[in-house]
Amino acid sequence: LELTGRDHLAWLGRLRGGVDPARIDELAERIDLDLGRRIKELSKGNQQKIQFIAAILHGPDVLLMDEPFTGLDPVNLALLREAFVELRDEGRTVLLVEQNALMALDTAHRGYVMETGRITVEGPAADLKTNEAVQKAYLGLD
């Protein structure tokens, strides 16, 4: 299919009983996304933004995202990070699986570091950012 971003999101909205088209436009404007282009013509970053809108379109209380910052340039990374922080601050539970530990910790209240399927470090995100072991192993800092 050669759907535009708007067509794709409207279709996803209809799958769950409908979504006001104004909501789709509002979300797209919030993260600076042009919905008029065909999805296959979009950059990886803009495809990520389409996926973000699809995930939050129906206002879920819990959101699980796998590497949502992949493929984003610094400007779009900041826009999407702000959107996640807003969701978090609205009281929604946002779970991010992210290779970019610093980005995840900047977005989170709480962080968990996993190795081979086990949580090895956990705690408030601010504490993890200053944890020496986390800095060396996951943030590349000495």
Side-chain angles (χ1 to χ4, degrees):
L1 294 174
E2 296 190 21
L3 297 175
T4 66
R6 180 174 285 102
D7 293 338
H8 178 69
L9 292 168
W11 176 75
L12 289 173
R14 285 192 301 275
L15 288 177
R16 295 274 319 261
V19 171
D20 182 355
R23 169 113 170 109
I24 294 171
D25 290 336
E26 171 191 320
L27 292 170
E29 184 177 323
R30 169 64 184 89
I31 59 172
D32 191 29
L33 177 62
D34 175 9
L35 293 174
R37 295 182 58 204
R38 292 179 182 168
I39 290 178
K40 72 178 190 175
E41 297 171 351
L42 295 174
S43 67
K44 173 131 174 87
N46 281 328
Q47 289 177 9
Q48 286 285 89
K49 290 161 97 176
I50 291 276
Q51 291 175 28
F52 171 75
I53 292 174
I56 67 168
L57 195 54
H58 294 92
D61 292 328
V62 177
L63 183 65
L64 173 61
M65 300 292 289
D66 184 20
E67 299 198 29
F69 304 116
T70 301
L72 296 175
D73 61 46
V75 171
N76 286 313
L77 191 132
L79 284 171
L80 201 58
R81 183 195 163 281
E82 287 174 23
F84 278 116
V85 168
E86 286 175 15
L87 291 168
R88 178 199 73 194
D89 291 349
E90 288 172 5
R92 298 171 198 261
T93 299
V94 179
L95 300 169
L96 301 177
V97 176
E98 181 60 53
Q99 294 290 330
N100 183 336
L102 189 56
M103 180 57 61
L105 292 174
D106 280 345
T107 307
H109 280 303
R110 218 168 154 69
Y112 300 86
V113 176
M114 294 184 72
E115 287 183 52
T116 60
R118 295 181 186 198
I119 296 173
T120 56
V121 182
E122 67 177 286
D127 292 352
L128 293 183
K129 284 173 55 176
T130 60
N131 179 296
E132 186 175 322
V134 172
Q135 287 182 345
K136 285 182 181 179
Y138 302 102
L139 305 179
L141 304 174
D142 287 323

